[in-house]
Amino acid sequence: NAGVTQTPKFQVLKTGQSMTLQCAQDMNHEYMSWYRQDPGMGLRLIHYSVGAGITDQGEVPNGYNVSRSTTEDFPLRLLSAAPSQTSVYFCASRPRAGEADTQYFGPGTRLTVL
Amino acid sequence: AQSVTQLGSHVSVSEGALVLLRCNYSSSVPPYLFWYVQYPNQGLQLLLKYTSAATLVKGINGFEAEFKKSETSFHLTKPSAHMSDAAEYFCAVNQAGTALIFGKGTTLSVSS
């Protein structure tokens, strides 16, 4: 049971480039989400999904796209990277969207945009 | 909307001293509250969670937190700090069954 996995661990992009951050979970969790972590800002929600085929925006969705074609995978796409997107990105999942469910986090992807 | 506020972005204690990390929440409905810990260059790990079963919640590594509705607080404590407790700690509230909303975090430093 690998839990929540993220690839790559590190990435450097040039402004305007596109890329996809991969996230997968093997726990059959319905709910998945993406956060970005910036110094002094805590974790801010980018997008989330309550099940395959269903996604919604979080607090800071601009510049990011997501899709959820399977229960296991929830990729995050940067269409045209900007320096403001330099951050550490965390994917998370939990069994359902229930309030009491524990959320599990991946190890993170550290992204630098030059 | 629900939110959490962590008082103090940085807390320093000596090894063996009491650890107290403060979290206040804002919610119009009974909240579900969480504390997570993040060690350097790692993801977040659940310490404990409050789900209304008991106001005093015990977690891993000797941490506990008490839910106080009258004070809208969920402070994290540990009687005796260890060097290995040095990390960043996040309080979070589950909003409307969908999003986990985090505070800005408190960095705990432990000196010998």
Side-chain angles (χ1 to χ4, degrees):
Chain A
N1 200 338
V4 181
T5 57
Q6 293 183 236
T7 55
K9 291 190 185 306
F10 301 94
Q11 183 69 49
V12 179
L13 292 179
K14 294 181 180 179
T15 298
Q17 287 185 316
S18 63
M19 80 159 295
T20 299
L21 279 63
Q22 301 292 345
C23 174
Q25 52 88 12
D26 61 358
M27 298 173 283
N28 201 32
H29 287 175
E30 292 182 2
Y31 178 89
M32 297 185 73
S33 55
W34 277 101
Y35 291 85
R36 60 177 289 173
Q37 182 179 23
D38 302 290
M41 301 293 290
L43 280 83
R44 293 180 292 170
L45 183 68
I46 304 172
H47 285 284
Y48 65 94
S49 169
V50 298
I54 306 170
T55 64
D56 206 346
Q57 296 181 349
E59 179 186 358
V60 288
N62 292 341
Y64 307 96
N65 279 353
V66 293
S67 60
R68 183 97 180 268
S69 57
T70 67
T71 299
E72 293 78 20
D73 300 298
F74 190 45
L76 179 71
R77 298 182 187 85
L78 284 70
L79 300 179
S80 178
S84 61
Q85 293 179 304
T86 294
S87 187
V88 181
Y89 292 85
F90 288 100
C91 180
S93 74
R94 67 176 190 259
R96 296 164 303 278
E99 291 91 340
D101 285 354
T102 297
Q103 189 152 286
Y104 298 88
F105 285 81
T109 294
R110 187 173 296 271
L111 175 67
T112 301
V113 182
L114 303 175
Chain B
Q2 296 173 319
S3 65
V4 290
T5 302
Q6 291 185 242
L7 303 176
S9 60
H10 199 148
V11 171
S12 297
V13 301
S14 300
E15 195 170 23
L18 171 72
V19 175
L20 171 60
L21 305 182
R22 301 176 187 273
C23 173
N24 287 91
Y25 69 88
S26 171
S27 174
S28 59
V29 298
Y32 291 86
L33 295 160
F34 303 77
W35 275 101
Y36 280 83
V37 60
Q38 184 182 32
Y39 298 104
N41 299 314
Q42 294 188 24
L44 278 74
Q45 178 183 3
L46 180 72
L47 273 177
L48 49 81
K49 65 180 179 181
Y50 168 73
T51 60
S52 75
T55 57
L56 183 61
V57 182
K58 295 189 183 298
I60 62 172
N61 301 339
F63 284 93
E64 63 182 33
E66 185 172 9
F67 174 75
K68 292 187 177 180
K69 184 177 179 180
S70 61
E71 299 177 7
T72 62
S73 68
F74 190 56
H75 300 333
L76 182 71
T77 61
K78 182 173 180 178
S80 177
H82 295 160
M83 297 292 287
S84 59
D85 294 326
E88 190 160 19
Y89 293 80
F90 293 95
C91 183
V93 62
N94 201 325
Q95 177 173 292
T98 55
L100 199 59
I101 305 301
F102 286 85
K104 292 189 179 348
T106 298
T107 299
L108 176 66
S109 299
V110 182
S111 58
S112 57

mmCIF file of all heavy atoms in Angstrom, chain B residues 20-55:
data_model
loop_
_atom_site.group_PDB
_atom_site.id
_atom_site.type_symbol
_atom_site.label_atom_id
_atom_site.label_comp_id
_atom_site.label_asym_id
_atom_site.label_seq_id
_atom_site.Cartn_x
_atom_site.Cartn_y
_atom_site.Cartn_z
ATOM 1 N N LEU B 20 2.953 24.424 23.940
ATOM 2 C CA LEU B 20 1.582 24.920 23.775
ATOM 3 C C LEU B 20 1.509 25.655 22.449
ATOM 4 O O LEU B 20 2.139 26.693 22.269
ATOM 5 C CB LEU B 20 1.185 25.852 24.907
ATOM 6 C CG LEU B 20 -0.152 26.600 24.729
ATOM 7 C CD1 LEU B 20 -1.316 25.634 24.593
ATOM 8 C CD2 LEU B 20 -0.383 27.575 25.882
ATOM 9 N N LEU B 21 0.755 25.104 21.510
ATOM 10 C CA LEU B 21 0.533 25.731 20.207
ATOM 11 C C LEU B 21 -0.947 26.073 20.117
ATOM 12 O O LEU B 21 -1.800 25.213 20.307
ATOM 13 C CB LEU B 21 0.951 24.792 19.075
ATOM 14 C CG LEU B 21 2.391 24.268 19.143
ATOM 15 C CD1 LEU B 21 2.692 23.385 17.926
ATOM 16 C CD2 LEU B 21 3.392 25.390 19.229
ATOM 17 N N ARG B 22 -1.217 27.329 19.797
ATOM 18 C CA ARG B 22 -2.590 27.838 19.873
ATOM 19 C C ARG B 22 -3.308 27.837 18.536
ATOM 20 O O ARG B 22 -2.723 28.186 17.505
ATOM 21 C CB ARG B 22 -2.596 29.250 20.437
ATOM 22 C CG ARG B 22 -1.983 29.367 21.825
ATOM 23 C CD ARG B 22 -1.929 30.789 22.308
ATOM 24 N NE ARG B 22 -1.189 30.919 23.553
ATOM 25 C CZ ARG B 22 -1.735 30.777 24.758
ATOM 26 N NH1 ARG B 22 -3.029 30.528 24.867
ATOM 27 N NH2 ARG B 22 -0.986 30.908 25.835
ATOM 28 N N CYS B 23 -4.597 27.463 18.602
ATOM 29 C CA CYS B 23 -5.438 27.455 17.409
ATOM 30 C C CYS B 23 -6.841 27.881 17.821
ATOM 31 O O CYS B 23 -7.412 27.314 18.749
ATOM 32 C CB CYS B 23 -5.471 26.076 16.773
ATOM 33 S SG CYS B 23 -6.651 25.912 15.398
ATOM 34 N N ASN B 24 -7.374 28.866 17.148
ATOM 35 C CA ASN B 24 -8.762 29.271 17.328
ATOM 36 C C ASN B 24 -9.505 29.091 16.020
ATOM 37 O O ASN B 24 -8.953 29.321 14.950
ATOM 38 C CB ASN B 24 -8.840 30.731 17.781
ATOM 39 C CG ASN B 24 -8.407 30.896 19.210
ATOM 40 O OD1 ASN B 24 -7.228 31.130 19.483
ATOM 41 N ND2 ASN B 24 -9.339 30.760 20.130
ATOM 42 N N TYR B 25 -10.749 28.680 16.120
ATOM 43 C CA TYR B 25 -11.523 28.418 14.917
ATOM 44 C C TYR B 25 -12.712 29.347 14.839
ATOM 45 O O TYR B 25 -13.153 29.921 15.832
ATOM 46 C CB TYR B 25 -11.983 26.959 14.893
ATOM 47 C CG TYR B 25 -13.025 26.629 15.940
ATOM 48 C CD1 TYR B 25 -14.385 26.780 15.699
ATOM 49 C CD2 TYR B 25 -12.629 26.179 17.200
ATOM 50 C CE1 TYR B 25 -15.328 26.508 16.668
ATOM 51 C CE2 TYR B 25 -13.562 25.900 18.181
ATOM 52 C CZ TYR B 25 -14.903 26.070 17.910
ATOM 53 O OH TYR B 25 -15.830 25.790 18.880
ATOM 54 N N SER B 26 -13.198 29.472 13.643
ATOM 55 C CA SER B 26 -14.410 30.234 13.391
ATOM 56 C C SER B 26 -15.340 29.333 12.603
ATOM 57 O O SER B 26 -14.991 28.878 11.509
ATOM 58 C CB SER B 26 -14.089 31.492 12.578
ATOM 59 O OG SER B 26 -15.278 32.134 12.156
ATOM 60 N N SER B 27 -16.509 29.052 13.196
ATOM 61 C CA SER B 27 -17.429 28.156 12.525
ATOM 62 C C SER B 27 -18.836 28.381 13.043
ATOM 63 O O SER B 27 -19.029 28.535 14.241
ATOM 64 C CB SER B 27 -17.025 26.699 12.757
ATOM 65 O OG SER B 27 -17.987 25.824 12.213
ATOM 66 N N SER B 28 -19.792 28.360 12.157
ATOM 67 C CA SER B 28 -21.186 28.533 12.551
ATOM 68 C C SER B 28 -21.843 27.200 12.879
ATOM 69 O O SER B 28 -22.960 27.159 13.375
ATOM 70 C CB SER B 28 -21.960 29.221 11.424
ATOM 71 O OG SER B 28 -21.879 28.450 10.244
ATOM 72 N N VAL B 29 -21.153 26.125 12.603
ATOM 73 C CA VAL B 29 -21.650 24.778 12.911
ATOM 74 C C VAL B 29 -20.566 24.047 13.684
ATOM 75 O O VAL B 29 -19.401 24.456 13.654
ATOM 76 C CB VAL B 29 -22.003 24.006 11.625
ATOM 77 C CG1 VAL B 29 -23.124 24.717 10.877
ATOM 78 C CG2 VAL B 29 -20.781 23.833 10.742
ATOM 79 N N PRO B 30 -20.927 22.971 14.379
ATOM 80 C CA PRO B 30 -19.880 22.223 15.103
ATOM 81 C C PRO B 30 -18.779 21.808 14.148
ATOM 82 O O PRO B 30 -19.031 21.164 13.131
ATOM 83 C CB PRO B 30 -20.654 21.017 15.644
ATOM 84 C CG PRO B 30 -22.048 21.506 15.786
ATOM 85 C CD PRO B 30 -22.267 22.458 14.649
ATOM 86 N N PRO B 31 -17.553 22.156 14.462
ATOM 87 C CA PRO B 31 -16.453 21.898 13.531
ATOM 88 C C PRO B 31 -15.813 20.537 13.741
ATOM 89 O O PRO B 31 -15.931 19.937 14.797
ATOM 90 C CB PRO B 31 -15.463 22.994 13.886
ATOM 91 C CG PRO B 31 -15.634 23.139 15.380
ATOM 92 C CD PRO B 31 -17.103 22.894 15.634
ATOM 93 N N TYR B 32 -15.153 20.073 12.704
ATOM 94 C CA TYR B 32 -14.226 18.962 12.828
ATOM 95 C C TYR B 32 -12.821 19.557 12.676
ATOM 96 O O TYR B 32 -12.529 20.195 11.674
ATOM 97 C CB TYR B 32 -14.496 17.908 11.756
ATOM 98 C CG TYR B 32 -15.796 17.199 11.967
ATOM 99 C CD1 TYR B 32 -16.991 17.720 11.476
ATOM 100 C CD2 TYR B 32 -15.856 16.021 12.690
ATOM 101 C CE1 TYR B 32 -18.190 17.087 11.689
ATOM 102 C CE2 TYR B 32 -17.060 15.367 12.912
ATOM 103 C CZ TYR B 32 -18.223 15.909 12.409
ATOM 104 O OH TYR B 32 -19.416 15.277 12.633
ATOM 105 N N LEU B 33 -11.986 19.354 13.675
ATOM 106 C CA LEU B 33 -10.692 20.026 13.746
ATOM 107 C C LEU B 33 -9.550 19.027 13.748
ATOM 108 O O LEU B 33 -9.678 17.934 14.300
ATOM 109 C CB LEU B 33 -10.622 20.885 15.008
ATOM 110 C CG LEU B 33 -11.617 22.050 15.049
ATOM 111 C CD1 LEU B 33 -11.825 22.533 16.472
ATOM 112 C CD2 LEU B 33 -11.121 23.191 14.168
ATOM 113 N N PHE B 34 -8.465 19.443 13.149
ATOM 114 C CA PHE B 34 -7.315 18.565 12.977
ATOM 115 C C PHE B 34 -6.028 19.310 13.317
ATOM 116 O O PHE B 34 -5.942 20.521 13.116
ATOM 117 C CB PHE B 34 -7.224 18.090 11.511
ATOM 118 C CG PHE B 34 -8.442 17.379 10.996
ATOM 119 C CD1 PHE B 34 -9.581 18.086 10.644
ATOM 120 C CD2 PHE B 34 -8.438 16.004 10.853
ATOM 121 C CE1 PHE B 34 -10.709 17.435 10.161
ATOM 122 C CE2 PHE B 34 -9.562 15.342 10.366
ATOM 123 C CZ PHE B 34 -10.696 16.057 10.029
ATOM 124 N N TRP B 35 -5.043 18.565 13.792
ATOM 125 C CA TRP B 35 -3.670 19.051 13.869
ATOM 126 C C TRP B 35 -2.793 18.118 13.034
ATOM 127 O O TRP B 35 -2.832 16.900 13.201
ATOM 128 C CB TRP B 35 -3.162 19.059 15.313
ATOM 129 C CG TRP B 35 -3.505 20.288 16.100
ATOM 130 C CD1 TRP B 35 -4.504 20.425 17.019
ATOM 131 C CD2 TRP B 35 -2.835 21.546 16.061
ATOM 132 N NE1 TRP B 35 -4.501 21.687 17.540
ATOM 133 C CE2 TRP B 35 -3.482 22.406 16.982
ATOM 134 C CE3 TRP B 35 -1.733 22.043 15.349
ATOM 135 C CZ2 TRP B 35 -3.085 23.721 17.202
ATOM 136 C CZ3 TRP B 35 -1.331 23.346 15.562
ATOM 137 C CH2 TRP B 35 -1.996 24.174 16.485
ATOM 138 N N TYR B 36 -1.992 18.765 12.176
ATOM 139 C CA TYR B 36 -1.028 18.037 11.368
ATOM 140 C C TYR B 36 0.374 18.531 11.703
ATOM 141 O O TYR B 36 0.567 19.695 12.082
ATOM 142 C CB TYR B 36 -1.274 18.267 9.875
ATOM 143 C CG TYR B 36 -2.382 17.444 9.281
ATOM 144 C CD1 TYR B 36 -3.717 17.848 9.387
ATOM 145 C CD2 TYR B 36 -2.115 16.252 8.605
ATOM 146 C CE1 TYR B 36 -4.740 17.084 8.829
ATOM 147 C CE2 TYR B 36 -3.125 15.494 8.038
ATOM 148 C CZ TYR B 36 -4.434 15.921 8.163
ATOM 149 O OH TYR B 36 -5.435 15.154 7.608
ATOM 150 N N VAL B 37 1.366 17.654 11.503
ATOM 151 C CA VAL B 37 2.759 18.023 11.692
ATOM 152 C C VAL B 37 3.507 17.804 10.375
ATOM 153 O O VAL B 37 3.211 16.858 9.631
ATOM 154 C CB VAL B 37 3.422 17.218 12.827
ATOM 155 C CG1 VAL B 37 3.400 15.715 12.542
ATOM 156 C CG2 VAL B 37 4.864 17.672 13.066
ATOM 157 N N GLN B 38 4.433 18.718 10.104
ATOM 158 C CA GLN B 38 5.265 18.595 8.906
ATOM 159 C C GLN B 38 6.729 18.706 9.310
ATOM 160 O O GLN B 38 7.181 19.762 9.756
ATOM 161 C CB GLN B 38 4.921 19.682 7.887
ATOM 162 C CG GLN B 38 5.695 19.549 6.576
ATOM 163 C CD GLN B 38 5.376 20.657 5.600
ATOM 164 O OE1 GLN B 38 5.091 21.791 5.975
ATOM 165 N NE2 GLN B 38 5.419 20.339 4.313
ATOM 166 N N TYR B 39 7.454 17.610 9.141
ATOM 167 C CA TYR B 39 8.891 17.633 9.374
ATOM 168 C C TYR B 39 9.576 18.169 8.128
ATOM 169 O O TYR B 39 9.016 18.103 7.027
ATOM 170 C CB TYR B 39 9.378 16.246 9.760
ATOM 171 C CG TYR B 39 8.758 15.737 11.031
ATOM 172 C CD1 TYR B 39 7.748 14.779 11.007
ATOM 173 C CD2 TYR B 39 9.146 16.246 12.269
ATOM 174 C CE1 TYR B 39 7.154 14.338 12.165
ATOM 175 C CE2 TYR B 39 8.559 15.807 13.438
ATOM 176 C CZ TYR B 39 7.555 14.855 13.380
ATOM 177 O OH TYR B 39 6.961 14.431 14.526
ATOM 178 N N PRO B 40 10.784 18.694 8.271
ATOM 179 C CA PRO B 40 11.463 19.329 7.134
ATOM 180 C C PRO B 40 11.485 18.453 5.888
ATOM 181 O O PRO B 40 11.809 17.265 5.956
ATOM 182 C CB PRO B 40 12.868 19.582 7.682
ATOM 183 C CG PRO B 40 12.662 19.764 9.145
ATOM 184 C CD PRO B 40 11.576 18.799 9.513
ATOM 185 N N ASN B 41 11.072 19.057 4.779
ATOM 186 C CA ASN B 41 11.105 18.415 3.460
ATOM 187 C C ASN B 41 10.243 17.151 3.382
ATOM 188 O O ASN B 41 10.557 16.226 2.624
ATOM 189 C CB ASN B 41 12.541 18.075 3.068
ATOM 190 C CG ASN B 41 13.401 19.313 2.978
ATOM 191 O OD1 ASN B 41 13.008 20.325 2.397
ATOM 192 N ND2 ASN B 41 14.572 19.265 3.593
ATOM 193 N N GLN B 42 9.180 17.137 4.174
ATOM 194 C CA GLN B 42 8.267 16.004 4.130
ATOM 195 C C GLN B 42 6.834 16.483 3.947
ATOM 196 O O GLN B 42 6.552 17.683 3.988
ATOM 197 C CB GLN B 42 8.384 15.179 5.416
ATOM 198 C CG GLN B 42 9.729 14.492 5.588
ATOM 199 C CD GLN B 42 9.715 13.543 6.768
ATOM 200 O OE1 GLN B 42 8.668 13.049 7.188
ATOM 201 N NE2 GLN B 42 10.889 13.267 7.302
ATOM 202 N N GLY B 43 5.949 15.536 3.743
ATOM 203 C CA GLY B 43 4.531 15.850 3.663
ATOM 204 C C GLY B 43 3.943 16.022 5.049
ATOM 205 O O GLY B 43 4.661 16.053 6.055
ATOM 206 N N LEU B 44 2.626 16.143 5.119
ATOM 207 C CA LEU B 44 1.948 16.363 6.394
ATOM 208 C C LEU B 44 1.464 15.048 6.973
ATOM 209 O O LEU B 44 0.962 14.180 6.246
ATOM 210 C CB LEU B 44 0.751 17.301 6.204
ATOM 211 C CG LEU B 44 1.079 18.796 6.170
ATOM 212 C CD1 LEU B 44 1.727 19.176 4.861
ATOM 213 C CD2 LEU B 44 -0.175 19.608 6.413
ATOM 214 N N GLN B 45 1.565 14.953 8.279
ATOM 215 C CA GLN B 45 1.154 13.741 8.990
ATOM 216 C C GLN B 45 0.137 14.127 10.056
ATOM 217 O O GLN B 45 0.332 15.108 10.790
ATOM 218 C CB GLN B 45 2.389 13.100 9.640
ATOM 219 C CG GLN B 45 2.107 11.859 10.461
ATOM 220 C CD GLN B 45 3.367 11.326 11.120
ATOM 221 O OE1 GLN B 45 4.438 11.909 11.018
ATOM 222 N NE2 GLN B 45 3.241 10.205 11.805
ATOM 223 N N LEU B 46 -0.936 13.371 10.163
ATOM 224 C CA LEU B 46 -1.961 13.666 11.151
ATOM 225 C C LEU B 46 -1.450 13.405 12.560
ATOM 226 O O LEU B 46 -0.935 12.319 12.852
ATOM 227 C CB LEU B 46 -3.200 12.821 10.892
ATOM 228 C CG LEU B 46 -4.351 13.040 11.859
ATOM 229 C CD1 LEU B 46 -5.007 14.400 11.614
ATOM 230 C CD2 LEU B 46 -5.388 11.920 11.740
ATOM 231 N N LEU B 47 -1.607 14.395 13.446
ATOM 232 C CA LEU B 47 -1.303 14.222 14.871
ATOM 233 C C LEU B 47 -2.537 13.752 15.627
ATOM 234 O O LEU B 47 -2.475 12.835 16.434
ATOM 235 C CB LEU B 47 -0.845 15.551 15.471
ATOM 236 C CG LEU B 47 0.625 15.933 15.397
ATOM 237 C CD1 LEU B 47 0.808 17.315 15.979
ATOM 238 C CD2 LEU B 47 1.494 14.913 16.106
ATOM 239 N N LEU B 48 -3.650 14.449 15.409
ATOM 240 C CA LEU B 48 -4.899 14.115 16.092
ATOM 241 C C LEU B 48 -6.044 14.860 15.424
ATOM 242 O O LEU B 48 -5.822 15.792 14.651
ATOM 243 C CB LEU B 48 -4.828 14.479 17.587
ATOM 244 C CG LEU B 48 -4.336 15.869 17.964
ATOM 245 C CD1 LEU B 48 -5.425 16.918 17.842
ATOM 246 C CD2 LEU B 48 -3.775 15.883 19.388
ATOM 247 N N LYS B 49 -7.271 14.418 15.775
ATOM 248 C CA LYS B 49 -8.444 15.098 15.231
ATOM 249 C C LYS B 49 -9.581 15.087 16.236
ATOM 250 O O LYS B 49 -9.711 14.168 17.058
ATOM 251 C CB LYS B 49 -8.890 14.453 13.921
ATOM 252 C CG LYS B 49 -9.380 13.024 14.033
ATOM 253 C CD LYS B 49 -9.796 12.496 12.645
ATOM 254 C CE LYS B 49 -10.281 11.059 12.709
ATOM 255 N NZ LYS B 49 -10.672 10.534 11.366
ATOM 256 N N TYR B 50 -10.392 16.119 16.183
ATOM 257 C CA TYR B 50 -11.577 16.242 17.014
ATOM 258 C C TYR B 50 -12.808 16.010 16.145
ATOM 259 O O TYR B 50 -13.002 16.719 15.140
ATOM 260 C CB TYR B 50 -11.652 17.624 17.641
ATOM 261 C CG TYR B 50 -12.984 17.912 18.281
ATOM 262 C CD1 TYR B 50 -13.342 17.301 19.484
ATOM 263 C CD2 TYR B 50 -13.911 18.749 17.660
ATOM 264 C CE1 TYR B 50 -14.581 17.547 20.053
ATOM 265 C CE2 TYR B 50 -15.141 18.991 18.227
ATOM 266 C CZ TYR B 50 -15.474 18.394 19.427
ATOM 267 O OH TYR B 50 -16.703 18.620 19.976
ATOM 268 N N THR B 51 -13.624 15.023 16.578
ATOM 269 C CA THR B 51 -14.832 14.725 15.801
ATOM 270 C C THR B 51 -16.069 14.698 16.680
ATOM 271 O O THR B 51 -17.043 14.029 16.375
ATOM 272 C CB THR B 51 -14.672 13.368 15.089
ATOM 273 O OG1 THR B 51 -14.463 12.358 16.086
ATOM 274 C CG2 THR B 51 -13.517 13.377 14.123
ATOM 275 N N SER B 52 -16.017 15.387 17.804
ATOM 276 C CA SER B 52 -17.121 15.588 18.755
ATOM 277 C C SER B 52 -17.339 14.423 19.706
ATOM 278 O O SER B 52 -18.235 14.465 20.532
ATOM 279 C CB SER B 52 -18.444 15.914 18.038
ATOM 280 O OG SER B 52 -18.998 14.766 17.451
ATOM 281 N N ALA B 53 -16.543 13.370 19.613
ATOM 282 C CA ALA B 53 -16.715 12.230 20.530
ATOM 283 C C ALA B 53 -16.231 12.570 21.934
ATOM 284 O O ALA B 53 -16.833 12.160 22.919
ATOM 285 C CB ALA B 53 -15.975 11.016 19.985
ATOM 286 N N ALA B 54 -15.135 13.330 22.040
ATOM 287 C CA ALA B 54 -14.577 13.700 23.345
ATOM 288 C C ALA B 54 -13.860 15.019 23.177
ATOM 289 O O ALA B 54 -13.223 15.255 22.145
ATOM 290 C CB ALA B 54 -13.601 12.641 23.838
ATOM 291 N N THR B 55 -13.931 15.872 24.199
ATOM 292 C CA THR B 55 -13.310 17.196 24.069
ATOM 293 C C THR B 55 -11.805 17.148 24.218
ATOM 294 O O THR B 55 -11.101 17.999 23.693
ATOM 295 C CB THR B 55 -13.899 18.176 25.090
ATOM 296 O OG1 THR B 55 -13.714 17.624 26.397
ATOM 297 C CG2 THR B 55 -15.380 18.398 24.838
#
